[in-house]
């Protein structure tokens, strides 16, 4: 550890806190309201500054970093920066990730002098950004005096860590260098809240009662399981083994239960489920939902909402039909319940009867035109225990969910927020934290066009990320929901773009594949390029999409098109 500064400024204080909570990289775009703050953050030897091409990408890179690291920081300038960074902050809120959004703001003297300022709405009220941030974070603070900074910074960070949601800290340009007191013990910010003993006991008893007399219990896992931390994922495996029942997983929770476990029955995604997960979930007479999120997308336009009373365990509470228990940590709850349940493998026995036989995967000949199926077959062969697979909004969601994850492989998806273009900056942020992982991105042409600039940061930091860009000449997912001429996009020469991003010193490689053999050769180039990203443009027919996308699109379109309900109807 480096020696602490003897005199702290607001900027030093923030830097120290960020480092203490385990942040090693902070994502920034400079602007005159945050430059002194950036100097202070730079001066902390435990933080590495990571410049991004724009604030949307900066916030999404921080979102990806939070997936890898548990918490992240994004530093932007007032309005022109922050309003763009709000998008990645919204993603962090929806995806339950503690992203600390930090914005520079005008000099503290300007408001009282009614000055008109650049990077504002052209009025003398600068409070709008704080008010907007309040809606998309769990805690938004604006520092107006240096001596309040320690209290406000600690409060915002603690709230974010506890709630697994983003927070917002606004620091005026003339306060980052202003003196304040030094930080107290970090445990005051990071120490977790433990379960209320009585509530924990009562919740476990209620769960045992919920299960008693039930013949066909099933566990359903949702994306909030991993976000809860707390050892919840490991505790759930133990509970499942004590219960002996079938375990299904929502698409956004793929990988949160080992796919090679004998009780894993597939991804429950209604009619586009894998295995026979939907049959077994609908067969259940008791459903233990852990961290589940039921949206129009995850329920296939509300067609797959379970219709039996549920037990729902969340990060810090448990709800049953007719009972609710607050301040129950999910990890502790699952461990407690493990000691009370009885073994009942009825749903596993039935699942083994229902499960589809393995399909024979056809291997294309080298000269065969490239297809979606062949791309999936080749990506499957790339996956190992070191892989982090990012799947972007579009058919990549469906193709990615179908893949079999080897033990240890990570799967990242942004299904709640669903921002096209998320995967490029998010994979960049993730790979910075986990350079040892083999990061692979499955992204469509339309999504890639939204945030393509961030590939240049992958080049800058020599990150060997493999980008499988599926070029089907447009917004196919939108075609399947509702088609129109707006779903066609301008084609790019994606492979050549890598040369542009290289500038004079980069190591990125850009390749394009139109046949199975070309893809195989390109994948080999990617695996040998350890000094930079490799983008492989995979050209497929515009109608070559998954059965699952077409089916899902049909039901989501129907849900979107429900006529307005009149009062009393
Ligand atoms: O596989 P495919 O062709 O569906 O993927 P591609 O090419 O990436 O197209 C994605 C099309 C898409 C849009 C335009 N998916 N969702 N949207 C709506 C949308 C618009 N803007 C943002 C920021 N996010 C969105 N999800
Ligand atoms: Mg496309």
């Amino acid at each position: 550890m480096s020696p602490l500064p003897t005199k702290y400024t607001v900027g030093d204080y923030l830097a120290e806190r960020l480092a203490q909570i385990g942040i090693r990289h902070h994502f920034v775009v400079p602007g005159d309201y945050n430059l002194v703050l950036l100097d202070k953050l730079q001066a902390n030897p435990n933080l590495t500054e990571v410049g991004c091409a724009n604030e949307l990408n900066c916030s999404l890179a921080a979102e990806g970093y939070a997936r890898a690291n548990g918490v992240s920081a994004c530093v932007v300038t007032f309005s022109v920066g922050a309003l763009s960074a709000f998008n990645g902050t919204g993603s962090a809120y929806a995806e339950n990730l503690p992203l600390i959004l930090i914005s520079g703001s005008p000099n503290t003297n300007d408001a009282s002098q009614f000055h008109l300022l650049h990077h504002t709405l052209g009025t003398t009220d600068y409070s709008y950004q704080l008010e907007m941030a309040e809606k998309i974070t769990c805690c938004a603070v604006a520092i107006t005096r240096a001596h309040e900074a320690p209290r406000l910074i600690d409060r915002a960070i603690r709230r974010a860590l506890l709630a697994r949601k983003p927070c917002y800290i606004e620091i005026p340009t003339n306060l980052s260098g202003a003196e304040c007191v030094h930080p107290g013990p970090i445990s005051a910010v990071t120490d977790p809240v433990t379960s209320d003993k009585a509530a924990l006991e009562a919740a476990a008893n209620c769960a045992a009662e919920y299960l008693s007399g039930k013949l066909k219990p099933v566990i359903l896992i949702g994306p909030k399981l991993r976000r809860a931390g707390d050892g919840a994922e490991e505790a759930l495996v133990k509970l499942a083994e004590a219960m002996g029942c079938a375990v299904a997983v929502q698409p956004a929770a793929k990988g949160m239960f080992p796919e090679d476990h004998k009780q894993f029955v597939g991804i429950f995604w209604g009619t586009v489920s894998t295995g026979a997960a939907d049959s077994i979930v609908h067969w259940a007479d008791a459903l233990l939902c852990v961290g589940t999120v039921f949206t129009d997308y995850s329920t296939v336009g509300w067609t797959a909402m379970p219709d039996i009373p549920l037990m729902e365990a969340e990060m810090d509470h448990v709800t049953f039909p007719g009972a609710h228990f607050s301040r129950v940590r999910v990890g502790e709850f699952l461990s407690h319940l493990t000691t009370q349940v009885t073994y009942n493998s009825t749903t596993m026995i039935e699942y083994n009867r229902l499960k589809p036989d393995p399909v024979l995967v056809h291997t294309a000949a080298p000269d065969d035109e490239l297809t979606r199926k062949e791309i999936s077959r080749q990506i499957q062969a790339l996956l190992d225990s070191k892989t982090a697979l990012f799947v972007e909004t579009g058919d990549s969601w469906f193709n990615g969910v179908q893949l079999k994850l080897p033990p240890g492989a990570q799967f990242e998806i942004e299904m709640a927020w669903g921002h096209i273009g998320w995967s490029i900056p998010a994979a960049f942020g993730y790979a910075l934290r986990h350079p040892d992982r083999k990061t692979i991105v499955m992204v469509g042409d339309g999504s890639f066009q939204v945030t393509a600039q961030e590939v240049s940061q992958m080049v800058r930091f020599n990150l060997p990320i493999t980008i499988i860009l599926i070029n089907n000449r447009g917004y196919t997912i939108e075609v399947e929901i509702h088609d129109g001429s707006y779903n066609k996009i301008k084609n790019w020469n994606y492979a050549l773009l890598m040369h542009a991003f290289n500038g004079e010193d980069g190591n990125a490689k850009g390749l394009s594949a139109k046949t199975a053999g070309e893809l195989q050769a390109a994948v080999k180039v990617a695996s040998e390029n350890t000094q930079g990203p490799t983008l492989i443009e995979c050209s497929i027919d515009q109608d070559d999409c998954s059965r699952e996308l077409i089916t899902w699109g049909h039901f989501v379109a129907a849900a979107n098109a429900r006529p307005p309900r009149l009062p009393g109807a």
Side-chain angles (χ1 to χ4, degrees), residues 377-455:
R377 191 193 67 77
Q378 293 200 27
I379 294 176
Q380 180 68 68
L382 288 178
L383 306 185
D384 61 26
S385 62
K386 287 269 184 205
T387 305
L389 180 67
F390 279 71
V391 300
E392 177 67 84
T393 300
D395 205 16
S396 296
W397 273 357
F398 300 88
N399 295 319
V401 160
Q402 303 288 322
L403 296 170
K404 205 168 157 25
L405 276 193
Q410 299 288 312
F411 183 84
E412 299 296 339
I413 187 167
E414 191 220 29
M415 189 170 270
W417 191 246
H419 187 302
I420 56 169
W422 157 84
S423 64
I424 295 295
F428 161 59
Y430 186 101
L432 265 179
R433 182 63 183 81
H434 281 319
D436 48 320
R437 284 215 166 257
K438 184 162 113 187
T439 303
I440 300 174
V441 182
M442 292 171 72
V443 57
D445 50 338
S447 299
F448 183 78
Q449 291 197 3
V450 181
T451 53
Q453 305 99 316
E454 230 46 35
V455 173

Side-chain angles (χ1 to χ4, degrees), residues 444-446 470 472 474-476:
D445 50 338
I470 297 122
N472 53 11
Y475 298 148
T476 297

Side-chain angles (χ1 to χ4, degrees), residues 27-346:
F27 297 86
V28 314
V29 179
D32 60 350
Y33 291 125
N34 72 16
L35 298 177
V36 176
L37 176 62
L38 295 186
D39 289 342
K40 297 288 175 193
L41 298 177
Q42 255 187 1
N44 187 306
N46 300 313
L47 294 176
T48 301
E49 179 184 89
V50 180
C52 292
N54 62 50
E55 288 83 353
L56 168 65
N57 293 359
C58 188
S59 60
L60 291 171
E63 199 264 24
Y65 190 85
R67 289 170 184 261
N69 188 56
V71 58
S72 66
C74 167
V75 193
V76 296
T77 195
F78 199 64
S79 296
V80 289
L83 267 61
S84 290
F86 278 171
N87 209 321
T89 309
S91 177
Y93 199 104
E95 305 285 332
N96 299 289
L97 295 161
L99 178 160
I100 301 168
L101 175 63
I102 301 150
S103 174
S105 63
N107 181 295
T108 49
N109 300 303
D110 284 316
S112 60
Q113 293 178 288
F114 304 107
H115 284 153
L116 289 182
L117 297 172
H118 68 287
H119 297 347
T120 72
L121 298 175
T123 67
T124 54
D125 177 1
Y126 318 130
S127 60
Y128 59 91
Q129 186 168 301
L130 175 68
E131 286 168 29
M132 291 163 89
E134 278 165 2
K135 296 281 186 196
I136 56 165
T137 62
C138 69
C139 181
V141 297
I143 294 164
T144 51
R145 288 179 295 178
H147 74 268
E148 289 187 330
R151 179 174 63 84
L152 294 176
I153 290 171
D154 281 5
R155 186 211 290 171
I157 296 178
R158 178 160 177 77
R159 292 275 299 278
L161 293 177
L162 288 184
R164 320 297 300 161
K165 296 282 183 194
C167 68
Y168 171 77
I169 301 172
E170 188 172 299
I171 306 182
T173 175
N174 59 335
L175 288 192
S176 294
E179 260 187 58
C180 70
V181 294
H182 65 81
I186 189 62
S187 51
V189 177
T190 53
D191 264 13
V193 173
T194 51
S195 297
D196 176 73
K197 289 268 173 306
L200 175 64
E201 193 74 29
N205 290 341
C206 195
E209 200 179 304
Y210 170 76
L211 287 171
S212 75
K214 299 287 192 331
L215 303 173
K216 301 178 289 181
V218 167
I219 295 174
L220 179 61
I221 298 176
K224 286 193 274 182
L225 172 68
R226 177 164 297 160
R227 304 289 188 257
D230 209 16
E233 266 180 275
E234 296 76 17
L236 185 61
V237 174
K238 292 205 176 97
L239 173 66
E241 287 171 355
M243 290 180 66
C245 66
V247 181
V249 174
Q250 288 192 307
K254 184 177 169 73
M256 295 187 193
F257 190 80
E259 295 200 346
D260 61 336
H261 195 287
K262 68 177 182 353
Q263 285 169 259
F264 172 70
V265 300
I267 305 296
F268 173 65
W269 200 359
T271 172
V272 298
S273 295
T274 68
D278 53 337
S279 308
I280 208 70
V281 166
H282 292 311
W283 194 65
D285 64 356
L287 207 49
L288 275 71
C289 297
V290 187
T292 45
V293 179
F294 297 106
T295 68
D296 54 342
Y297 277 12
S298 70
T299 64
V300 192
W302 307 115
T303 57
M305 192 65 206
D307 56 3
I308 56 169
L310 309 175
M311 183 203 89
E312 292 180 277
E314 297 278 320
M315 181 175 70
D316 57 4
H317 64 266
V318 193
T319 305
F320 299 89
H324 174 85
F325 302 94
S326 298
R327 238 185 87 195
V328 175
R329 306 291 310 174
V330 64
E332 288 182 86
F333 169 72
L334 297 172
S335 301
H336 207 75
L337 187 56
T338 303
T339 61
Q340 304 200 355
V341 292
T342 45
Y343 190 86
N344 171 3
S345 58
T346 312

